[in-house]
Amino acid sequence: MKTIGILGGMGPLATAHLFERIVLNTNAEKDQDHIHVLIDSNTNIPDRTKAILNGVEDPLKEMVISAKHLESCGADFLIMPCNTAHFFIDKILSNISIPMINMVDETVNYTYDKYGKDAIVGILATDGTIKSKIYENSFSKRGIKTIVPNKTQTKVMSFIYDVIKSSKIEVGPSLLLEAAEELKEMGATSILLGCTELSSADFIFKFKGNFINPIEVLAHKSIIFAGGQVK
């Protein structure tokens, strides 16, 4: 099977959860049936949202360092558990000779297959992801309507940075669920957890309803691309 390289550290918990989901979703009876996975949890990568919004501390240099490192260590393809970082994916790929699975596009494909083109997707994500319209543009190509929070975006950011990234899980998911409720009231038929910290929160708090988890989508796609079988 092919070797997976995880370009991680954005953040560390999301990186750990992606590896866990690959292991738990691989159809394997013994260690040797699992996929070889290389992980570079590079916490030196600057904040992607700040780079997109303010043009400071470009994260590309560190992401390229990690990508090249994983390639040199034998990774056959890369995956990146950070939605906002996909703003830079083309520039990363221009510096390496192995492919990278695009989590954003695969999540959009999954949504289209599961909910159809008439779905209305509410996007919960960082300010950087929303401003760059990474998901909106990809969904638009499939004819899927998207909406973003109007009054509760600051609560989404607070949940991402002050709860999950700060490892204050005991605070609970109320801030995020308020934002999800606003999107439902605006007409959303499904809710995209468009930040990998939100994917991690889903694994921790086990959200109920039509939530779309990109890390779960990426884990499944990675297993198949590597030549494994999904449970």
Side-chain angles (χ1 to χ4, degrees):
M1 290 190 287
K2 295 178 181 178
T3 297
I4 299 173
I6 299 179
L7 202 171
M10 307 174 283
L13 182 60
T15 302
H17 274 138
L18 175 57
F19 178 51
E20 179 184 56
R21 301 314 295 176
I22 291 171
V23 173
L24 292 177
N25 284 289
T26 299
N27 186 18
E29 295 182 358
K30 57 184 183 299
D31 292 349
Q32 292 74 25
D33 293 335
H34 281 278
I35 299 164
H36 186 191
V37 180
L38 304 174
I39 302 173
D40 187 351
S41 186
N42 184 356
T43 53
N44 290 324
I45 299 172
D47 188 276
R48 284 67 58 201
T49 290
K50 290 181 180 178
I52 292 171
L53 295 180
N54 304 318
V56 297
E57 291 190 284
D58 188 355
L60 183 62
K61 179 181 177 180
E62 286 292 337
M63 288 193 287
V64 169
I65 288 172
S66 283
K68 288 183 174 181
H69 177 62
L70 289 164
E71 182 179 23
S72 68
C73 288
D76 294 302
F77 67 97
L78 302 182
I79 54 178
M80 184 166 59
C82 176
N83 293 276
T84 311
H86 280 69
F87 178 80
F88 305 94
I89 190 170
D90 290 338
K91 292 181 179 178
I92 297 171
L93 286 169
S94 69
N95 284 276
I96 56 176
S97 58
I98 57 176
M100 178 185 291
I101 295 177
N102 189 315
M103 179 170 63
V104 172
D105 288 346
E106 293 300 336
T107 299
V108 170
N109 292 338
Y110 166 85
T111 303
Y112 182 88
D113 291 341
K114 183 169 184 178
Y115 297 108
K117 63 181 179 64
D118 295 326
I120 300 175
V121 179
I123 299 175
L124 296 175
T126 63
D127 292 346
T129 295
I130 289 177
K131 180 179 180 180
S132 64
K133 296 186 180 296
I134 300 169
Y135 270 108
E136 287 94 328
N137 291 338
S138 190
F139 274 118
S140 179
K141 292 176 183 177
R142 302 303 300 267
I144 296 176
K145 181 180 178 180
T146 57
I147 53 178
V148 297
N150 182 17
K151 301 176 181 179
T152 57
Q153 179 59 24
T154 56
K155 294 184 178 182
V156 177
M157 289 292 286
S158 179
F159 181 77
I160 291 170
Y161 283 88
D162 301 330
V163 179
I164 303 300
K165 283 187 179 293
S166 299
S167 299
K168 296 179 180 177
I169 307 302
E170 68 277 4
V171 173
S174 59
L175 289 171
L176 185 72
L177 295 178
E178 285 183 46
E181 190 59 35
E182 182 193 6
L183 290 173
K184 292 176 185 176
E185 291 174 357
M186 293 169 66
T189 57
S190 58
I191 305 294
L192 172 70
L193 300 171
C195 171
T196 45
E197 269 67 40
L198 304 185
S199 290
S200 290
D202 186 27
F203 297 131
I204 295 167
F205 298 112
K206 303 185 186 306
F207 300 141
K208 304 295 183 182
N210 294 336
F211 286 94
I212 303 162
N213 189 325
I215 279 187
E216 193 73 17
V217 173
L218 183 59
H220 283 222
K221 186 68 177 181
S222 301
I223 293 167
I224 294 169
F225 195 81
Q229 294 183 339
V230 177
K231 286 183 179 177

